[in-house]
Structures are given as C-alpha cells and as structure tokens.
Amino acid sequence: LQPTHPVVVEDFLSNRTHLRGLRRILQSLLTERVPIRDLVTILETAGDMLDHLQRVDQVTEVCRMALARQICWNYLNEEGTLRGLALSPRVENRLMEAIADRETGSILNLSRDEADQLVGAVRKALEEHGMPPVLFTDPPTRLWVRRILARPFPTLGVLATTEIAPGLRVEIAGQVDFDPSPSDPPEPSEPTPP
C-alpha cells in the first residue's frame, strides 16, 4: 500500500507500537472471519484512532463498523436478506449491567452459570428458527457476546446493530432470551373467553 497510499501507511511504518497494534486489529478481524481486503479503510479507521491503539478491542469495533457492508455480505441468504436472531431486552440489560469499565479496558462480570444460560438460550433459538447465521446485539455488548459464543458457535456471526449496512433487508427470525427464573414475574397472558 505504500506506493499507492503513502499517507495512510506512514504512521504505522514509522512507529513499531502502532504497527503491532494494527497487526492485532487485523488478527482480531480475521478471527471473526471479517474480510480484510479493504486495507485502506482499515488503516484509515485505525489511523484516526492512533491515540487509542492500546485498546485494540475498541479500535477493532470501530473498524468493523467501517467494514459493515463487507461483513453483512458474508451472511446474506439467496434472497439477499440478512436473517438472524436478536438478543432480548432482558439479556441485553443483564449484559450491560455486567460490563465494568476500567482504566485498562472493560471487563464482564457475568457468572459462569449466566454465560452457560446464554449459550443454552442461543442453542435453543438456533434450533427453533432454522439455524440463522447471525445474532444481532447492541453495540456495547457485541464483543462480549462474541467471546462467550466463540467456542460453542464458531461460525455464528455476532453483529452489532451499527454494523448492519444501510439498505439491507433484515429479518429477525427469533429472539434469544433467558429462561424465566422462579423470581421473575409471569408474562401477561391473554384472557380466556368464557
């Protein structure tokens, strides 16, 4: 890229720390099967965030938004629709409550039982709804959901709603929700006719 886009690569070639950060960003994208052919977009996006390169996860998430069209293209069905599951508001809220920001980055304070419950809920929803290739999440929870689901569902794409390319047809096949616990209030039901 240096001959064709010297300004884009200059900051990375002149600083080994930036170059290492870029390498980690590219590795992270490849781990999730995100195409990196558009290196110019990745370098421009990461270059705009040079001050944050020590927080590779953050920069990678911003790069993913810049690559939204390429990411979505991988998951379109024959009709050109992006079909997936969505996390329920209850699951999203629990994950948001569990995220704690620290100086060195954020951590997820979720118990092993809760993580296992999420895996089980995703498995159940995938089976019920014909194995859609994508799970949609809110942007702050996307990375954490991906980390929890990476081993049990290595081919499941986890997309933040901000990564959905404009103009695409999106179909929500179903919702992923925790099984209600005994302390949860019952869902309101339709009254039965007399």
Side-chain angles (χ1 to χ4, degrees), residues 3 15 22 27 29 37 48 53-54 59 78 84 92 101 111 134-135 148-150 158 163 166:
N15 184 319
L22 176 63
Q27 286 172 333
L29 291 169
R37 287 183 296 265
D48 289 343
L53 273 180
Q54 70 278 8
V59 180
E78 302 82 37
E92 287 285 0
D101 285 323
S111 72
V134 174
L135 176 65
I148 292 168
L149 300 178
V158 180
E163 296 172 346

Side-chain angles (χ1 to χ4, degrees), residues 17-194:
T17 304
H18 292 164
L19 191 57
R20 280 192 294 274
L22 176 63
R23 186 191 69 209
R24 291 191 350 249
I25 291 166
L26 293 172
Q27 286 172 333
S28 181
L29 291 169
L30 288 172
T31 298
E32 291 195 54
R33 299 184 343 261
V34 174
I36 61 168
R37 287 183 296 265
D38 189 358
L39 280 173
V40 173
T41 298
I42 295 168
L43 289 171
E44 285 175 343
T45 304
D48 289 343
M49 300 189 70
L50 285 175
D51 295 339
H52 304 285
L53 273 180
Q54 70 278 8
R55 294 187 74 176
V56 171
D57 292 341
Q58 272 185 338
V59 180
T60 303
E61 292 300 301
V62 175
C63 287
R64 286 179 58 90
M65 284 188 277
L67 298 168
R69 187 156 298 284
Q70 292 91 331
I71 293 172
C72 291
W73 185 260
N74 289 336
Y75 298 109
L76 296 179
N77 64 16
E78 302 82 37
E79 293 86 35
T81 301
L82 183 61
R83 185 171 181 270
L85 300 170
L87 290 182
S88 72
R90 178 175 25 186
V91 173
E92 287 285 0
N93 289 338
R94 177 60 194 115
L95 291 168
M96 287 299 296
E97 290 169 0
I99 297 172
D101 285 323
R102 303 282 161 87
E103 241 179 70
T104 56
S106 56
I107 61 168
L108 187 68
N109 291 318
L110 197 66
S111 72
R112 176 40 102 199
D113 287 343
E114 289 173 305
D116 289 344
Q117 190 177 4
L118 177 60
V119 169
V122 169
R123 181 171 285 115
K124 178 180 174 186
L126 285 170
E127 290 168 359
E128 287 176 1
H129 299 287
M131 305 302 282
V134 174
L135 176 65
F136 301 110
T137 70
D138 287 342
T141 60
R142 192 210 76 81
L143 179 62
W144 296 109
V145 171
R146 178 65 193 141
R147 287 179 177 169
I148 292 168
L149 300 178
R151 284 197 177 161
F153 307 103
T155 61
L156 180 66
V158 180
L159 298 183
T161 53
T162 53
E163 296 172 346
I164 300 171
L168 284 182
R169 282 180 298 178
V170 176
E171 177 189 334
I172 305 298
Q175 207 173 63
V176 173
D177 199 0
F178 294 137
D179 289 329
S181 69
S183 63
D184 288 340
E187 293 290 321
S189 60
E190 295 289 321
T192 53

